[in-house]
Amino acid sequence: MKLRLASGKVAVILELLDTPTAKAVFAAAPFESRAQTWGEEVYLTTPVSAKLDSDARQVVDPGTVCFWTEGDALALPYGRTPMSTDARPKLANPCNVLGKVIGDPEMLSKIKAGTTVKVERA
């Protein structure tokens, strides 16, 4: 399962794992959301609600596709967040891991807060 995020001239492909939350987000596409940022992380509200998985993580590698259950949002860290204690992103809360960004996750830095992001199946 793959999703394409597009905002202006920026497009990023997300490769999703076979998890219930990933399937729910994939099934909800296409949808649009306004980008929000937190340090070197972009997050997008989705039409999906999910429960926290038993293997949810708070510290992840850059480019990990996460689902923030407390905000019903995709969390897409590409570097340090305000809570990071080393070079890895530390999310605000534990999040479900949904997959990874294909290619360079730094492309996410070009998505600015407040811009519209279209999420569709790739």
Side-chain angles (χ1 to χ4, degrees):
M1 292 183 297
K2 292 182 181 176
L3 291 176
R4 180 178 185 270
L5 273 60
S7 179
K9 295 181 180 180
V10 180
V12 179
I13 301 294
L14 311 180
E15 185 171 36
L16 303 180
L17 299 169
D18 186 10
T19 70
T21 307
K23 287 177 183 175
V25 172
F26 185 78
F31 59 89
E32 288 187 356
S33 183
R34 290 230 180 262
Q36 299 179 67
T37 59
W38 188 60
E40 294 179 332
E41 174 187 314
V42 174
Y43 63 102
L44 312 165
T45 302
T46 73
V48 174
S49 290
K51 295 195 183 302
L52 196 62
D53 291 341
S54 60
D55 61 350
R57 296 182 12 216
Q58 190 168 12
V59 177
V60 297
D61 293 325
T64 302
V65 177
C66 304
F67 189 83
W68 181 39
T69 59
E70 294 185 28
D72 295 337
L74 285 175
L76 305 167
Y78 55 90
R80 293 176 53 86
T81 66
M83 290 181 64
S84 292
T85 56
D86 58 25
R88 295 177 301 166
K90 183 173 183 180
L91 305 166
N93 306 98
C95 292
N96 296 346
V97 173
L98 303 188
K100 64 181 181 178
V101 173
I102 301 299
D104 184 3
E106 283 283 324
M107 287 293 294
L108 294 165
S109 68
K110 297 180 180 185
I111 299 175
K112 302 302 177 199
T115 60
T116 299
V117 179
K118 187 177 205 176
V119 180
E120 58 192 8
R121 296 175 191 181

